């Protein structure tokens, strides 16, 4: 701490606001005290993966050290600091009183609950807090609602094209490079083993002391970690290393194998950049620009479908889900279109199921705090939807287990895209499949206790009967959807005996979900 504690302003930095490029830090000001804290309010609102807790605190501590080195004044409350009251507002009050400060500034948070908390708070002296932009996203909170004003559904493609045009990304004048906006059709290959998958770039941070603090404090967590070797980046510098690694090693095949899944390989050609992006150590612009630059430098190595597939995820999906979140909160967190009430099967917490696709995905998630998009959508999400699980329980699981899970991006993907709990605001139809799709996109079925080809009978793949059961019980809600009509026509052509056996099989499985 400075020898001259005459501060006129406190600036609050939240754990996901590690944006070293923010205009706040352009100038040193001895009158400003930056405040950061590790609080139970944040470790306990859901049960997080241990790697997530450690990676956030580790990155926060590194960020605070960098600010101190740069000459800024910081008050950093560690989890076990005796002055830590474990609550955002109580800590702000205490620090404001200790330094007699009458102004609190904060960057707009991305989560509704924190936004509400900070918006309604004021200093002990009565002054309301003052907010400013986090200077991270391409879009504003309301860009999406303005773009779709008056529309009942939000088409991601339309939003994405608007942003491509606006920012001139992969554009030739007013037209997309390659005369196509979307290369999705080319980006759906099964992994055939012809191209070796490079090892992921793992950092090996020794966070033994931090781990001991978290354990000693009694923070409840899930998942596994080797605290001598935490693999997640702790700084902007390391995050940039990850970007370079991705562009060189993984981008050349990112699009092609984007939807592929493989036993024992949780990362494949995915970037693992979501943690760095969501903590704002990296900006979406620099990641998109790096990928586009890599494509321009080496078009012989990186084709347009690869880079477009990647840009779509960040400029398209990421900005889009944020817009959906702000256009629909707080009501979005209550949506339950199918009125589902089941609990999550117990094996979501330990991976111990005979269904190999779920076993691989959940075990990988517990080991790494990570699963890639198709595993989240078409394995764990698909099963939860087919099994009729309460979206609140599904949300809690996703919000806890993944390294990148922060509500604004988690809930829109989970309730919206994956569970269709918003009734079709995000997805034009529920993302569900039978075992057929999983077999097409992975090698899971060959190592499974269940038979992918059977719909009923001993060891029939549960996805098969549950798929038809899902459509049958939700027929009144889904039948009119033009994208689903074919499913009902196929079902109606089955014999009554076949339909009956299939529904009985589904009923049998639904009665013993925990034992599958
Ligand atoms: P890559 O496949 O390498 O993609 C590059 C980047 O694109 C990601 O880092 C991410 O920033 C962005 N991106 C890709 N898809 C999406 C998407 N659908 N929405 C928003 N951004 C996207 N992502 C989160 O960041 N946090 C979450 O809590 C989260 N929960 C999800 C829950 C479900 C049910 C589903 C289906 C998806 C979820 N996603 C979430 C989106 C996506 O699965 C992750 O962003 C991605 O798997 C992160 O790994 P990666 O960095 O290797 O991504
Ligand atoms: Fe999953 Fe069914 Fe394939 Fe087994 S057979 S891995 S349960 S899809």
């Amino acid at each position: 701490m400075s020898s001259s504690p005459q501060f006129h302003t406190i600036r609050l930095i939240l754990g996901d606001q590690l944006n070293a490029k923010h205009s706040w830090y352009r100038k040193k000001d001895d009158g400003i005290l930056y405040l950061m804290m590790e609080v139970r309010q944040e470790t306990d609102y859901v049960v997080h993966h241990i790697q997530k807790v450690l990676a956030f605190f580790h990155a926060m501590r590194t960020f605070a050290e960098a600010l101190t080195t740069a000459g800024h004044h910081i008050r950093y409350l560690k989890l076990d600091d005796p002055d830590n009251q474990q609550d955002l507002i109580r800590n702000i009050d205490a620090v404001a009183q200790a330094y007699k400060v009458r102004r609190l500034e904060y960057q707009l948070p991305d989560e509704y609950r924190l936004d509400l908390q900070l918006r309604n708070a004021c200093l002990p002296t009565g002054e309301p807090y003052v907010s400013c932009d986090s200077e991270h996203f391409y879009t504003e909170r309301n860009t999406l609602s303005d773009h779709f004003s008056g529309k009942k559904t939000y088409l991601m493609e339309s939003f994405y094209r608007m942003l491509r045009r606006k920012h001139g990304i992969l554009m030739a004048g007013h037209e997309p490079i390659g005369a196509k906006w979307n290369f999705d059709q080319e980006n759906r290959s099964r992994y055939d083993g012809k191209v070796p998958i490079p090892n992921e770039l793992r950092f090996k941070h020794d966070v033994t002391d931090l781990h001991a603090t978290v354990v000693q404090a009694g923070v409840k967590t899930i998942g596994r970690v080797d605290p001598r070797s935490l693999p997640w980046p702790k700084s902007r510098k390391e995050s940039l290393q990850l970007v370079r690694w991705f562009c060189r090693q993984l981008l050349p095949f990112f699009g092609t194998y984007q939807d592929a899944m493989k036993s024992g390989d949780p990362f494949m050609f995915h970037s693992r950049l979501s943690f760095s992006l969501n903590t704002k150590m990296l900006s979406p612009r620099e990641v998109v620009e790096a990928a586009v630059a890599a494509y321009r430098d080496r078009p012989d190595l990186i084709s347009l479908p690869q880079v477009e597939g990647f840009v779509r995820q960040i400029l398209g999906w990421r900005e889009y889900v944020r817009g959906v979140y702000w256009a629909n909160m707080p009501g979005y967190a209550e949506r339950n279109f199918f009125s589902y009430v089941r609990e999550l099967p117990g094996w979501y917490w330990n991976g111990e199921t005979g269904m190999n696709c779920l076993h691989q995905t959940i075990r990988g998630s517990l080991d790494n705090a990570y699963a890639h998009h198709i595993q989240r959508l078409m394995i764990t999400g698909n099963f939860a939807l087919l099994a009729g699980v309460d979206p609140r329980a599904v949300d809690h699981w996703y919000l806890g287990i993944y390294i990148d899970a922060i509500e604004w991006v988690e809930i829109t993907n989970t309730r919206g895209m994956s569970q269709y709990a918003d009734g079709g605001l995000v997805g034009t139809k529920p993302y569900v499949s039978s075992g057929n799709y999983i077999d097409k996109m992975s090698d899971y079925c060959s190592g499974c206790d269940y038979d992918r080809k059977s719909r009923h009978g001993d060891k029939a793949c549960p996805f098969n009967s549950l798929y038809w059961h899902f459509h049958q019980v939700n027929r009144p809600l889904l039948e009119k959807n033009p994208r689903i009509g074919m499913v009902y026509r196929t079902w109606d052509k089955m014999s009554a005996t076949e339909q009956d056996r299939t529904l009985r099989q589904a009923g049998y499985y639904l009665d013993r979900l925990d034992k599958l």
Side-chain angles (χ1 to χ4, degrees):
M1 190 65 58
S2 150
S3 57
S4 143
Q6 296 299 315
F7 300 116
H8 53 73
T9 300
I10 296 172
R11 282 180 173 171
L12 174 70
I13 305 171
L14 298 172
D16 66 345
Q17 295 181 335
L18 311 183
N19 175 6
K21 296 283 177 192
H22 195 280
S23 53
W24 269 2
Y25 315 117
R26 261 181 226 145
K27 253 190 4 209
K28 276 191 294 170
D29 183 336
D30 284 336
I32 292 175
L33 177 67
Y34 289 96
L35 175 61
M36 297 181 77
M37 58 185 92
E38 301 167 358
V39 276
R40 294 303 293 264
Q41 171 188 325
E42 296 305 303
T43 56
D44 296 3
Y45 68 85
V46 73
V47 182
H48 299 284
H49 197 294
I50 180 67
Q51 291 190 30
K52 183 179 173 192
V53 176
L54 295 175
F56 266 83
F57 287 172
H58 191 45
M60 285 165 65
R61 289 181 181 194
T62 309
F63 189 77
E65 277 162 25
L67 287 185
T68 308
T69 308
H72 299 284
H73 300 279
I74 315 285
R75 175 78 173 102
Y76 189 99
L77 288 162
K78 290 187 175 174
L79 194 66
D80 57 356
D81 188 314
D83 290 340
N84 191 342
Q85 305 197 33
Q86 306 298 342
D87 173 271
L88 202 56
I89 306 297
R90 286 212 301 270
N91 278 338
I92 293 172
D93 283 355
V95 175
Q97 275 172 330
Y99 292 101
K100 300 190 174 50
V101 177
R102 298 178 68 102
R103 185 176 169 87
L104 184 292
E105 296 179 1
Y106 68 101
Q107 298 176 21
L108 282 173
D110 294 317
E111 279 167 289
Y112 186 83
R113 75 187 164 88
L114 288 170
D115 192 62
L116 199 66
Q117 196 180 19
L118 294 172
R119 208 174 344 124
N120 292 332
C122 57
L123 288 169
T125 44
E127 280 86 357
Y129 299 176
V130 180
S131 67
C132 67
D133 198 86
S134 64
E135 302 174 10
H136 173 78
F137 292 97
Y138 279 98
T139 52
E140 305 292 323
R141 281 180 178 178
N142 61 345
T143 307
L144 177 128
S145 43
D146 291 350
H147 181 72
F148 291 111
S149 170
K151 300 267 178 6
K152 280 199 185 131
T153 52
Y154 309 141
L155 206 59
M156 198 291 280
E157 188 66 27
S158 149
F159 191 63
Y160 168 62
R161 289 183 190 183
M162 180 275 286
L163 291 177
R164 286 259 307 264
R165 282 198 185 94
K166 180 169 177 196
H167 296 282
I169 296 167
L170 295 176
M171 298 295 292
H174 292 296
E175 295 306 316
I177 293 182
K180 259 170 81 172
W181 291 100
N182 186 324
F183 293 84
D184 258 7
Q185 291 303 332
E186 290 160 55
N187 285 348
R188 288 186 182 153
S189 299
R190 188 181 208 269
Y191 180 65
D192 51 15
K194 285 190 186 139
V195 181
I197 303 170
N199 287 334
E200 72 274 9
L201 175 62
R202 291 175 81 89
F203 301 96
K204 292 184 180 161
H205 297 300
D206 188 340
V207 291
T208 319
D209 291 347
L210 177 57
H211 182 248
T213 306
V214 171
V215 171
Q216 214 158 21
V219 176
K220 195 173 168 208
T221 58
I222 47 169
R224 290 177 272 273
V225 71
D226 174 356
R228 291 159 307 168
S229 188
L230 186 72
W232 299 100
K234 66 172 183 182
S235 62
R236 176 173 165 74
K237 190 173 161 209
E238 290 185 354
S239 299
L240 286 168
Q241 251 176 286
L242 207 54
V243 174
R244 284 192 292 274
W245 176 263
F246 170 73
C247 289
R248 234 184 359 249
Q249 304 284 339
L250 305 166
L251 183 56
F253 298 99
F254 174 83
T256 306
Y257 299 119
Q258 200 175 343
D259 289 2
M261 297 171 281
K262 182 176 174 302
S263 301
D265 201 320
F267 310 116
M268 302 200 66
F269 293 91
H270 291 273
S271 68
R272 291 164 69 244
L273 284 168
S274 50
F275 174 68
S276 299
L277 279 163
N278 294 355
T279 50
K280 304 185 180 63
M281 292 191 285
L282 293 176
S283 86
R285 279 172 206 269
E286 64 193 332
V287 177
V288 164
E289 280 163 16
V292 173
Y295 157 69
R296 289 198 197 284
D297 285 353
R298 294 300 306 264
D300 54 323
L301 279 185
I302 302 166
S303 67
L304 183 57
Q306 314 303 322
V307 71
E308 190 282 320
F310 184 70
V311 166
R312 166 181 296 271
Q313 306 310 314
I314 295 180
L315 181 68
W317 282 109
R318 190 167 183 269
E319 297 289 326
Y320 169 83
V321 297
R322 173 172 184 257
V324 172
Y325 182 77
W326 284 108
N328 291 283
M329 282 301 281
Y332 205 77
E334 302 303 320
R335 301 268 186 116
N336 186 355
F337 182 66
F338 297 117
S339 308
Y340 280 161
V341 292
R342 273 201 188 84
E343 298 277 315
L344 263 187
W347 38 259
Y348 267 75
W349 303 100
N350 58 28
E352 285 170 21
T353 163
M355 293 182 282
N356 194 35
C357 51
L358 283 149
H359 169 70
Q360 293 284 336
T361 303
I362 296 170
R363 199 188 54 184
S365 304
L366 291 166
D367 285 348
N368 304 303
Y370 181 92
H372 70 68
H373 186 70
I374 292 300
Q375 292 178 305
R376 296 186 203 196
L377 187 65
M378 296 312 293
I379 306 294
T380 39
N382 186 6
F383 190 86
L385 180 53
L386 293 180
V389 176
D390 182 342
R392 201 184 315 247
V394 186
D395 260 340
H396 282 178
W397 187 81
Y398 278 97
L399 191 55
I401 200 162
Y402 293 119
I403 191 78
D404 50 34
I406 305 180
E407 191 189 64
W408 66 270
V409 54
E410 174 279 324
I411 201 170
T412 30
N413 271 294
T414 304
R415 290 223 176 202
M417 191 187 299
S418 164
Q419 299 300 292
Y420 203 75
D422 63 7
L425 196 64
V426 167
T428 49
K429 71 180 181 79
Y431 276 100
V432 284
S433 80
S434 65
N436 205 21
Y437 171 84
I438 296 170
D439 193 34
K440 193 171 124 209
M441 297 312 300
S442 76
D443 62 358
Y444 294 151
C445 299
S446 56
C448 184
D449 290 356
Y450 292 90
D451 174 14
R452 201 274 301 157
K453 293 210 172 87
S454 309
R455 212 179 276 151
H456 40 73
D458 197 26
K459 291 292 171 194
C461 166
F463 282 86
N464 293 342
S465 54
L466 292 176
Y467 174 80
W468 291 111
H469 175 271
F470 167 82
H471 284 100
Q472 197 46 20
V473 296
N474 293 311
R475 192 162 188 155
L477 292 171
L478 297 175
E479 192 171 21
K480 290 209 174 72
N481 184 325
R483 295 200 61 206
I484 312 185
M486 186 66 184
V487 174
Y488 287 108
R489 283 196 290 283
T490 310
W491 173 255
D492 291 341
K493 279 188 204 151
M494 282 183 209
S495 69
T497 318
E498 180 62 18
Q499 289 182 348
D500 185 52
R501 281 190 184 151
T502 304
L503 294 181
R504 275 169 192 266
Q505 186 76 35
Y508 172 80
Y509 283 149
L510 288 172
D511 284 345
R512 45 183 63 65
L513 283 177
D514 273 332
K515 304 212 163 52
L516 291 181

